[in-house]
Amino acid sequence: QVQLVESGGGVVQPGRSLRLSCAASGFTFSTYGMHWVRQAPGKGLEWVSVISYDGSNEFYSDSVKGRFTISRDNSKNTLYLQMDSLRAEDTAVYYCAKESSVSVAMDFDYWGQGTLVIVSS
Amino acid sequence: TVLTQSPGTLSLSPGERATLSCRASQSVSSSYLAWYQQKPGQAPRLLIYGASSRATGIPDRFSGSGSGTDFTLTISRLEPEDFAVYYCHHYDSSPPMVTFGPGTKVDFK
């Protein structure tokens, strides 16, 4: 069955960096676009970034553009999110999510359980 | 595209009908409109895709409808496990950009 397992969260000081990972299994990882979505404590869902199936295209929300970098290693079935220049407002649970279709991206059919990032001095 | 959901909270009893609204700031393709359910401490779960198609394993008491700027998620008869937060979602493909509504919480009256 499809599994997405995030890791790498923790407590980090403002201005520092953190790298999140999402290990995928149960599907052909290299054929699907993948996303990061975050949720601040007690708040709604906020889309962060997307990467195409082959890693050739990536897009970001305005709130993280220039600070976060999404990447993937299809040989390891793993998605990454490099987060630099972290701010207090980046504090959230970060979810990785799989697009439901290989051909047309429309929605997310599987999500990981999330990893918590706390940015605090 | 900005998504607005109403009401913010819906207080109902098991067995009642729930009607949740999602309004887009501009007309969107129904193909790119989805609904998710999220329970406390859990990841979101896809309920409805393409505005009206139920995802795998979703009970038929959940239904979606709408087009253009107005979309609706209906739960015909609330079960205890349906009390959760529901988000609508739009995927804009060019360039790729995803928007979520602020959510509607369905809680016990």
Side-chain angles (χ1 to χ4, degrees), chain A residues 35 39 99 105-108 112, chain B residues 32 36 38 43 49 87 89 91:
Chain A
H35 297 249
Q39 187 169 37
E99 289 184 356
M106 293 182 290
D107 43 62
F108 310 149
Chain B
Y32 297 92
Y36 298 85
Q38 187 180 34
Y49 65 93
Y87 295 95
H89 156 279
Y91 198 131

Side-chain angles (χ1 to χ4, degrees), chain A residues 35 37 39 43-47 50 59-62 65 95 99-100 104-114, chain B residues 31-34 36 38 41-46 48-50 87 89-91 93 95-102:
Chain A
H35 297 249
V37 176
Q39 187 169 37
K43 303 298 184 182
L45 301 170
E46 180 190 11
W47 176 76
V50 58
F59 296 90
Y60 302 89
S61 67
D62 287 344
K65 197 175 297 182
Y95 296 100
E99 289 184 356
S100 62
V104 180
M106 293 182 290
D107 43 62
F108 310 149
D109 58 352
Y110 288 94
W111 298 61
Q113 86 290 348
Chain B
S31 298
Y32 297 92
L33 196 288
Y36 298 85
Q38 187 180 34
Q42 296 185 17
R45 177 174 72 145
L46 179 65
I48 300 289
Y49 65 93
Y87 295 95
H89 156 279
H90 176 248
Y91 198 131
S93 58
M97 179 69 64
V98 174
T99 306
F100 290 96

Side-chain angles (χ1 to χ4, degrees), chain B residues 3-93:
Chain B
L3 299 178
T4 304
Q5 291 187 243
S6 61
T9 301
L10 197 52
S11 297
L12 295 168
S13 300
E16 291 192 295
R17 182 184 188 90
T19 303
L20 289 67
S21 173
C22 175
R23 178 161 291 179
S25 59
Q26 58 187 346
S27 183
V28 300
S29 167
S30 298
S31 298
Y32 297 92
L33 196 288
W35 291 90
Y36 298 85
Q37 176 194 66
Q38 187 180 34
K39 298 178 182 179
Q42 296 185 17
R45 177 174 72 145
L46 179 65
L47 290 178
I48 300 289
Y49 65 93
S52 60
S53 298
R54 276 187 300 277
T56 303
I58 302 303
D60 60 7
R61 63 180 181 272
F62 291 91
S63 64
S65 63
S67 63
T69 59
D70 292 300
F71 298 88
T72 301
L73 173 69
T74 302
I75 311 171
S76 58
R77 286 179 57 86
L78 280 165
E79 297 287 340
E81 61 267 28
D82 300 336
F83 290 87
V85 180
Y86 293 84
Y87 295 95
C88 59
H89 156 279
H90 176 248
Y91 198 131
D92 198 332
S93 58

